[in-house]
Amino acid sequence: MTTAPARGQRWRPVAYTAVGLASLLVLGGTGYAWTQLSRLDTGLATADVIAPSAQVPSGRASLSVDQNILLVGLDSRTDVQGNPLPQNVLDQLHAGDAEDGGDTTDTMIVVHIQAGGGSATAISIPRDSYVQIAGGHGKHKINSAYTYGKQAALDTLREQGLTGAALERAASAAGARTAIETVEDFTGLTINHYAAVNLAGFFALSNAVGGVPVCLKEPVHDSYSGANFPAGEQTLSGAQALAFVRQRHGLPDGDLGRIARQQAFLSGMAQVVLGAGTLANPVRLSALIDAVQQSVVIDQGWDVLTFAEQMHSLSAGAITFATIPVQSLSLATPYDGDAVKVDPVQVRDFIDALLGRSAPSTSTSSTPTSAAKQAAETAGAPTRNPSATVSQTPSTDLSGCVN
């Protein structure tokens, strides 16, 4: 991981990476925003994680091809440069101390960008999906792929003399490469870009846009995450926003409820960033760009300026949310406790149908709903998941809110 040189309706994952993605996706929404985006060309943290065979053409040629972006939210207590987060920051985030964190990817979302940039499909992968981990690490929960790759690289990197933040950055890049390869093997999608955000990054990004609108069906009180909210519509930022998307205790649907919140928050974030309140506000836009610089790590070959041009026509209504099909939420595993049972064949069929790539094959797995039907329902539904809808005016009708 390096710093760029100066140049002229559901799952457990937390949503802090989704915020970073939304920021990158929509900053090209106006000419003024595009001009401001050029500032990201200096000082944005990058990592060499994308294989040469998966890199898209450079410059304007990239506008003519589909692209897949893997977004990860790291439960990490370090910043984008590999330095430990201060304890006072961890206290604000209800994140314990530096020893409580890990290197698991609590958020995994693949965003498919259609050639030309007119639409985007965000596909959530449950963090506990039981899959084959790339690199010969066996079968484990998919959120551990990053950890296995990072830990496997540490000894070699230490022998090379790396220590401190430099060691953390290099090991994190190795972890990212293992996570990317695992997702590619599982989904059948080639990952062309990568973006990661940690706990502090989410805090900064949600503050920069002035908060994100959410809506809860019932009041929430959870001492573990710090979530303490009334029912109804409200705007959350900083530590409150992080508590909203991190809560996992007391949700009626468990992991399913948590991913519904993740998608709801991303939908609200897209509305805020795409709205005139952010793009036409020089102060707020500048704060958002500063937060992205400080909080988001992207792959080394990502041409952000060209990508912004591709996203110029994107609107909040052009973002579709989906979640891969699962077979069970309580699969007993030899070493990893209960996991989520998934069928890679069914998942690939679902994704192919969702993206209109091919007619799905007949799956032998037994599930309540076929992959083809699920994908068709997702693609045909309103672009914002009804469970993720946030009303912009006060209302006593909570039918469109999340738990």
Side-chain angles (χ1 to χ4, degrees):
M1 192 181 305
T2 61
T3 300
R7 291 186 291 158
Q9 62 187 80
R10 323 170 155 195
W11 281 118
R12 181 170 185 164
V14 263
Y16 37 86
T17 300
V19 176
L21 166 75
S23 303
L24 289 174
L25 287 182
V26 301
L27 278 173
T30 68
Y32 174 78
W34 189 92
T35 300
Q36 291 296 303
L37 187 63
S38 63
R39 289 171 45 203
L40 286 179
D41 205 27
T42 302
L44 189 62
T46 65
D48 183 10
V49 297
I50 300 297
S53 60
Q55 294 176 4
V56 297
S58 60
R60 293 189 58 83
S62 65
L63 305 180
S64 62
V65 299
D66 290 357
Q67 299 182 42
N68 297 308
I69 305 165
L70 175 62
L71 308 175
V72 301
L74 296 174
D75 193 20
S76 169
R77 272 61 174 172
T78 58
D79 62 20
V80 295
Q81 299 300 334
N83 301 302
L85 296 175
Q87 186 58 49
N88 66 320
V89 173
L90 295 175
D91 290 342
Q92 292 183 66
L93 304 179
H94 288 258
D97 57 32
E99 302 302 320
D100 290 332
D103 298 309
T104 54
T105 50
D106 276 346
T107 299
M108 298 193 85
I109 304 173
V110 177
V111 179
H112 177 80
I113 307 295
Q114 190 176 45
S119 65
T121 302
I123 306 170
S124 295
I125 301 174
R127 54 164 279 167
D128 289 344
S129 298
Y130 198 60
V131 304
Q132 196 71 35
I133 304 298
H137 296 294
K139 202 167 186 179
H140 300 282
K141 296 178 181 179
I142 198 168
N143 72 325
S144 67
Y146 186 98
T147 305
Y148 278 105
K150 180 175 180 178
Q151 293 301 316
L154 280 173
D155 288 343
T156 300
L157 294 169
R158 288 192 181 102
E159 291 175 358
Q160 296 173 359
L162 292 182
T163 59
L167 174 63
E168 179 70 20
R169 292 194 301 270
S172 295
R177 286 190 287 269
T178 302
I180 289 168
E181 186 177 348
T182 299
V183 170
E184 289 181 329
D185 292 343
F186 176 55
T187 64
L189 296 171
T190 297
I191 300 302
N192 311 110
H193 289 302
Y194 169 85
V197 179
N198 64 12
L199 298 177
F202 176 86
F203 182 96
L205 288 163
S206 60
N207 270 335
V209 299
V212 173
V214 300
C215 185
L216 284 170
K217 291 181 178 179
E218 299 175 354
V220 167
H221 304 284
D222 175 40
S223 60
Y224 293 94
S225 65
N228 187 12
F229 309 118
E233 300 169 8
Q234 51 214 288
T235 298
L236 305 180
S237 61
Q240 287 187 322
L242 187 61
F244 176 82
V245 297
R246 293 191 78 207
Q247 183 187 358
R248 59 185 175 186
H249 298 278
L251 294 182
D253 297 326
D255 286 347
L256 300 182
R258 196 175 187 188
I259 207 172
R261 289 190 178 192
Q262 177 186 35
Q263 294 179 343
F265 199 93
L266 177 55
S267 177
M269 179 71 176
Q271 291 182 61
V272 171
V273 177
L274 284 166
T278 298
L279 295 177
N281 184 323
V283 174
R284 185 164 291 178
L285 181 58
S286 178
L288 177 59
I289 293 174
D290 288 342
V292 171
Q293 283 184 317
Q294 299 166 12
S295 308
V296 180
V297 178
I298 66 172
D299 64 273
Q300 193 168 289
W302 199 342
D303 183 347
V304 176
L305 298 182
T306 301
F307 183 74
E309 183 177 353
Q310 184 179 19
M311 293 297 98
H312 189 78
S313 60
L314 187 70
S315 65
I319 303 175
T320 298
F321 299 92
T323 305
I324 64 168
V326 304
Q327 297 183 321
S328 171
L329 299 178
S330 55
L331 172 67
T333 68
Y335 308 108
D336 300 334
D338 282 353
V340 173
K341 184 180 181 181
V342 288
D343 177 1
V345 174
Q346 184 190 22
V347 169
R348 290 187 178 202
D349 283 350
F350 172 84
I351 291 173
D352 285 344
L354 178 66
L355 302 182
R357 302 196 313 174
S358 63
S361 61
T362 301
S363 174
T364 58
S365 60
S366 57
T367 56
T369 309
S370 70
K373 182 177 180 181
Q374 288 185 53
E377 290 174 348
T378 302
T383 53
R384 292 179 60 230
N385 189 315
S387 68
T389 298
V390 178
S391 174
Q392 296 301 301
T393 57
S395 172
T396 57
D397 179 12
L398 305 181
S399 60
C401 302
V402 296
N403 287 319

